Amino acid sequence: MHDIWWLLKSKYIIISLPTPKSNGPNIIIMSPTTSPKTDRSLALIFLFAATLFLSASLMFVLQPLFGKILLPLLGGSPAVWNTCMVFYQSILFLGYLYAHTLSVSQNHHRQVLIHVAVILISFVALPVGLPENSAPPTETNPTLWLFWTLLLSIGLPFFVVSTTAPLIQKWFSDVGHHTSHDPYYLYAASNAGSLIALLSYPFFLEPNIGLAHQKSYWSVGYLVLCLFLVGCAAVLWKSRQQAEVVPGDANEIEPELNLSTKLHWLALAFVPSSLLLGLTNFISTDIASVPLLWIIPLTLYLLTFILVFSKWNNAIHPVVVKLQPMVLLPFIAYSFINPAVLPYWVDLGLHLLAFFIAVMVCHGELARLRPHTKHLTTFYLIMSFAGMLGGMFNTFVAPFIFNAVYEYPIMIVAALLLRPGLKTSMGAKTKDWLSQLTLPAVLAIAGLVIFFSIDNLPEYLDTIGVGLILLAGLLYTFRSEPLTLALVTGILIFFTMGLHGLLSNTLFQDRTFFGVLSVRESVLTNEQNQPEKYHEFFHGTTKHGAQRLAADVSRTPLTYFSKPGPIGQLFTEFDGSNQQWEVGIIGLGAGTLSCYAKDGQHWTFYELDPLVVAIASNPVYFTYISQCNPKIGMVVGDARLQLEKEPDHKFDLYIVDAFSSDSIPTHLLTQEAIKLYFKKLKPNGILALHITNRHLALKKVLSDHATNLQLAALIQEYKPTGDIPLVVATDWVVMAKKPETLESLRTSRLGSWQKMPLFFDMKPWTDDFTNIVTIWK
């Protein structure tokens, strides 16, 4: 925008020339001291930008902070996190609705008075934290209690924070600044705050500050935010008295928004929101199970908002629109058609690149189509509603209608449909529509014929793969035809996903809140050099058990629980004294451990996911339980909460097998959790913890607990000798109150049990403090 200044009768008249977002010039009469080139102009931008930055930072810190507060009380059940998500999204939407209603129904002075009153009322919730003597009900569903607790604890502050982005930008549009006609660039400050808070919490706040101090610091930050909000309100109040805004042209009156425009905004915000969650789930399910990996897609998502609402969007947007079809060839060819060719990190990079460009296109269109400031709050309200719908679709709808993360490729196709130029390319005639539908229809029919008519389809995979890659290469030729581009891309992706499903010999696959569970059939070479079938149990990309099907070996524990391994050695060493043992186990898996049970023993498994219980108990997939111990007890729910209900000194052996995936339940590994386990163990009881993990050195945490709680502890990092089918390397720690309880195991010739190494750089993990970053391998 170019500003032209005239000096007339000792006053500056600012004439902002028309921009693509305005139909006529705005004329603002102000005193010479309010020149936008003065320090006051810069201070004004700083005030409003800092307010948006701080507000977004507080919002992104409060959500994980309060989640950690609730974790020991309610555990990791899906009802807990679903309720938290509904609460956050609902309050965020209500905040945007409040900002919209306030700005369109009240004059500026009343807006200030009402919002200051809301801020003052919110102080009753400070400092943030759970109400005193707060405890969830033990006999009834805690959902209503949780929602009410969230509302009492953080509802008012979170509501105020939620209102800031749309309301402050709307106020800025009315303060008479020379950029007030287009305040959307301030949205970049809001998303920068979100991004910095996102990265700061796991890497700076959580590793260095306990929950108690986090709550105090957040409350102080909220008070600072309120001062900034009052400052913005004071500027708005004063500007209404000092500035006179004169319409520059009768044509400046903006027309009312039509329904198609609102729906277009809705789609442009909905698809990236769903795509973000879909990619995050897809990465952990199909590519790599790595802690904190979810931060990368969310970082890219927030970065797109910063870029598209900056002054660079006009230059960037055409470039990413052209890049999108170019990226499709390597993306589809290697990430879907033949993902095994590349290392997982290259595959991950392709997915992230395609995601970033798709979201840049959608958000770039949103920024390009942003309305006049008259409709600013409507624009943000629709964006908020779309984001809420995207989150709810992926969390509440997709897991019930899909047995895999199919919403991810669906949203890839949807993002292509939202490319600019769809209406132009389609034209008004029926033949224009039919011409773009012809190739997708032919490919869909051909794919169905190939899929259902050719026997032994996997044998032709190489030939089919070459054909699919050639088709993917043709996608760029349809860059100006969004409908054809999107539909052909969808057909290629879903056809290849179907082929890979055949190759994986998947016997069962289903999906719950906790992820995608699958049972696959594979073939090994047995001790007689003969092919032999076996079943594997997967949660995403993490194997949770396997079983050989031959009758003579079907009762043999395998993988992490093999007889030559640490847990097998423990049962062998105490074989003469464990006939009446009471055994408790967190984590069922395929039910492998049940084959160590004896008739006089009583075993209880604690499993969070009901589908795991159904799979392990079904003899079609695994027969460990049906053959070895069909009467074992099953307790479904968060293990720590369920264990609280058990009598003290009940168990002789307690096994914790919950840490092999990327999202370890940290509340099962804190000092308070260890104390609870030993409270439920007999004086000579043994605690065994399976700590095999590809990315985290959990032995550091347990070594620190053993030192601080004065417990005896041994570790074995087992590596199998020889080529034993389905016996894998695994790490186990055993702990007891008295060293003599573990002495026979330490001196046993069955395996190499060692004293726990000491780590002097560890801060104890408690319910108040955990830190994943410091235990990365």
Side-chain angles (χ1 to χ4, degrees):
M1 185 190 75
H2 301 284
D3 292 328
I4 302 177
W5 295 76
W6 284 270
L7 183 60
L8 179 64
K9 294 183 180 180
S10 301
K11 289 187 177 180
Y12 286 120
I13 302 177
I14 306 172
I15 301 182
S16 299
L17 295 181
T19 67
K21 297 298 170 189
S22 65
N23 295 318
N26 294 325
I27 304 174
I28 304 175
I29 304 173
M30 307 178 76
S31 67
T33 57
T34 59
S35 166
K37 293 184 179 180
T38 63
D39 292 340
R40 180 182 179 278
S41 177
L42 294 176
L44 199 63
I45 294 176
F46 173 80
L47 173 63
F48 280 80
T51 303
L52 289 165
F53 179 91
L54 181 57
S55 173
S57 300
L58 290 172
M59 179 182 293
F60 264 70
V61 167
L62 183 60
Q63 295 179 49
L65 186 161
F66 218 77
K68 290 194 68 174
I69 293 173
L70 291 169
L71 187 61
L73 285 177
L74 292 166
S77 70
V80 175
W81 305 120
N82 285 348
T83 303
C84 288
M85 172 183 261
V86 170
F87 174 82
Y88 292 136
Q89 291 180 332
S90 299
I91 297 297
L92 181 65
F93 176 70
L94 289 175
Y96 276 56
L97 182 61
Y98 160 86
H100 171 69
T101 304
L102 187 67
S103 63
V104 300
S105 65
Q106 304 294 330
N107 63 42
H108 296 92
H109 287 174
R110 286 188 177 179
Q111 289 180 37
V112 168
L113 293 173
I114 292 173
H115 199 57
V116 169
V118 172
I119 291 172
L120 292 174
I121 294 172
S122 71
F123 289 166
V124 302
L126 298 182
V128 294
L130 290 174
E132 290 186 13
N133 301 319
S134 182
T138 56
E139 303 299 329
T140 59
N141 191 305
T143 300
L144 291 178
W145 174 89
L146 175 57
F147 204 91
W148 179 246
T149 300
L150 287 168
L151 193 61
L152 289 178
S153 304
I154 60 172
L156 287 171
F158 194 83
F159 176 79
V160 171
V161 170
S162 299
T163 67
T164 305
L167 189 61
I168 291 302
Q169 289 182 69
K170 181 62 175 174
W171 284 1
F172 185 80
S173 71
D174 294 326
V175 298
H177 192 269
H178 73 288
T179 62
S180 289
H181 70 287
D182 188 15
Y184 292 97
Y185 68 90
L186 291 174
Y187 196 48
S190 176
N191 285 283
S194 301
L195 179 58
I196 291 176
L198 168 71
L199 298 175
S200 296
Y201 193 83
F203 297 112
F204 174 72
L205 296 177
E206 189 180 37
N208 296 292
I209 306 172
L211 276 179
H213 287 100
Q214 287 180 36
K215 291 185 288 184
S216 299
Y217 295 155
W218 192 95
S219 300
V220 172
Y222 180 73
L223 292 175
V224 174
L225 171 66
C226 291
L227 291 176
F228 274 78
L229 288 171
V230 171
C232 294
V235 170
L236 179 67
W237 186 287
K238 190 176 181 180
S239 69
R240 294 298 88 199
Q241 298 173 339
Q242 291 187 346
E244 178 189 355
V245 179
V246 184
D249 195 314
N251 293 329
E252 185 186 350
I253 299 175
E254 286 287 312
E256 292 300 316
L257 298 173
N258 56 47
L259 181 61
S260 64
T261 298
K262 294 178 180 178
L263 291 176
H264 194 189
W265 290 345
L266 187 78
L268 287 170
F270 171 85
V271 169
S273 173
S274 177
L275 194 58
L276 167 66
L277 297 178
L279 173 63
T280 304
N281 285 332
F282 184 85
I283 287 173
S284 61
T285 300
D286 292 75
I287 299 179
S289 183
V290 180
L292 300 179
L293 196 60
W294 57 270
I295 287 178
I296 301 176
L298 185 51
T299 298
L300 295 176
Y301 179 84
L302 294 173
L303 181 61
T304 63
F305 276 122
I306 296 173
L307 292 174
V308 302
F309 283 99
S310 71
K311 63 182 180 181
W312 305 300
N313 186 53
N314 290 337
I316 294 174
H317 188 56
V319 174
V320 294
V321 170
K322 291 179 181 179
L323 282 176
Q324 191 176 28
M326 297 181 188
V327 172
L328 286 177
L329 172 59
F331 173 57
I332 294 175
Y334 291 106
S335 294
F336 284 99
I337 296 176
N338 201 2
V341 171
L342 299 175
Y344 85 88
W345 58 270
V346 178
D347 189 19
L348 173 63
L350 283 173
H351 280 274
L352 292 172
L353 176 62
F355 164 78
F356 178 70
I357 291 178
V359 176
M360 278 292 292
V361 171
C362 291
H363 286 168
E365 281 295 287
L366 266 178
R368 186 178 68 84
L369 299 173
R370 64 190 184 274
H372 185 273
T373 54
K374 173 186 176 182
H375 303 300
L376 182 147
T377 54
T378 303
F379 178 68
Y380 283 124
L381 180 65
I382 291 173
M383 285 178 59
S384 170
F385 183 63
M388 182 177 71
L389 289 180
M392 288 187 170
F393 171 75
N394 283 60
T395 304
F396 302 117
V397 178
F400 293 99
I401 63 175
F402 302 137
N403 68 354
V405 192
Y406 294 129
E407 66 271 21
Y408 172 53
I410 288 173
M411 290 303 153
I412 292 174
V413 174
L416 292 172
L417 287 172
L418 292 173
R419 284 171 57 80
L422 179 62
K423 286 185 178 180
T424 304
S425 68
M426 293 307 301
K429 299 178 182 179
T430 303
K431 66 178 183 180
D432 296 325
W433 287 79
L434 293 176
S435 65
Q436 291 206 40
L437 290 172
T438 301
L439 179 60
V442 170
L443 289 177
I445 293 171
L448 291 172
V449 170
I450 291 172
F451 202 83
F452 291 105
S453 64
I454 298 180
D455 296 329
N456 300 320
L457 190 60
E459 295 180 5
Y460 302 93
L461 185 63
D462 291 340
T463 303
I464 294 173
V466 172
L468 292 174
I469 291 174
L470 291 175
L471 284 173
L474 293 175
L475 287 175
Y476 185 72
T477 62
F478 305 111
R479 60 191 180 279
S480 59
E481 300 177 5
L483 184 61
T484 304
L485 180 67
L487 294 179
V488 172
T489 299
I491 290 167
L492 289 175
I493 290 175
F494 280 98
F495 186 73
T496 55
M497 289 178 76
L499 285 178
H500 290 307
L502 287 177
L503 287 175
S504 66
N505 293 317
T506 301
L507 304 177
F508 173 86
Q509 183 168 288
D510 205 353
R511 182 177 175 186
T512 69
F513 172 83
F514 302 99
V516 177
L517 300 175
S518 59
V519 180
R520 302 172 191 172
E521 186 172 86
S522 299
V523 178
L524 59 80
T525 301
N526 63 17
E527 294 83 350
Q528 290 77 38
N529 288 323
Q530 298 295 319
E532 179 187 313
K533 291 182 177 181
Y534 68 97
H535 288 176
E536 297 175 290
F537 185 21
F538 283 89
H539 179 193
T541 59
T542 303
K543 186 188 293 187
H544 283 285
Q547 183 179 26
R548 297 171 68 174
L549 303 183
D552 59 328
V553 290
S554 62
R555 293 172 179 252
T556 303
L558 301 171
T559 63
Y560 315 111
F561 318 104
S562 64
K563 288 186 176 180
I567 193 65
Q569 297 169 25
L570 187 150
F571 280 106
T572 301
E573 186 63 35
F574 291 93
D575 184 65
S577 59
N578 65 5
Q579 284 79 5
Q580 303 297 319
W581 268 11
E582 187 81 29
V583 180
I585 303 174
I586 296 178
L588 176 60
T592 311
L593 283 170
S594 63
C595 281
Y596 285 109
K598 296 181 178 179
D599 290 339
Q601 297 174 346
H602 183 265
W603 285 48
T604 304
F605 281 90
Y606 299 85
E607 174 56 52
L608 187 59
D609 191 346
L611 184 58
V612 173
V613 176
I615 293 172
S617 303
N618 189 337
V620 173
Y621 305 124
F622 299 101
T623 60
Y624 284 126
I625 293 175
S626 61
Q627 288 188 97
C628 300
N629 196 356
K631 295 182 179 180
I632 60 172
M634 296 280 191
V635 179
V636 178
D638 183 82
R640 184 167 162 182
L641 296 179
Q642 298 300 325
L643 188 59
E644 291 274 10
K645 303 175 184 178
E646 300 286 3
D648 294 349
H649 311 302
K650 174 180 178 179
F651 297 102
D652 297 277
L653 173 66
Y654 202 79
I655 300 173
V656 183
D657 174 32
F659 308 120
S660 57
S661 67
D662 63 322
S663 300
I664 66 167
T666 55
H667 70 299
L668 299 181
L669 204 59
T670 62
Q671 276 194 7
E672 290 85 350
I674 301 296
K675 289 177 181 178
L676 175 64
Y677 302 148
F678 277 99
K679 182 181 178 183
K680 304 301 177 180
L681 281 166
K682 295 176 181 177
N684 292 320
I686 298 172
L687 175 64
L689 301 106
H690 176 210
I691 60 168
T692 307
N693 193 286
R694 289 175 287 187
H695 309 287
L696 302 175
L698 298 175
K699 63 183 179 181
K700 292 185 177 182
V701 180
L702 293 175
S703 173
D704 185 74
H705 288 339
T707 301
N708 291 320
L709 300 178
Q710 298 182 336
L711 298 171
L714 300 175
I715 185 172
Q716 183 175 164
E717 296 172 316
Y718 171 76
K719 292 179 174 55
T721 56
D723 188 15
I724 310 174
L726 297 179
V727 173
V728 299
T730 182
D731 303 335
W732 285 78
V733 170
V734 291
M735 307 177 82
K737 288 183 177 179
K738 303 174 183 178
E740 50 266 32
T741 304
L742 304 178
E743 184 61 23
S744 62
L745 196 61
R746 187 184 69 82
T747 57
S748 173
R749 295 183 179 180
L750 296 173
S752 178
W753 289 93
Q754 306 291 329
K755 289 185 177 181
M756 291 287 285
L758 297 177
F759 300 94
F760 299 101
D761 59 341
M762 282 296 299
K763 183 177 178 180
W765 278 26
T766 66
D767 288 346
D768 184 73
F769 174 87
T770 56
N771 178 16
I772 292 289
V773 176
T774 57
I775 62 170
W776 274 85
K777 289 183 177 178

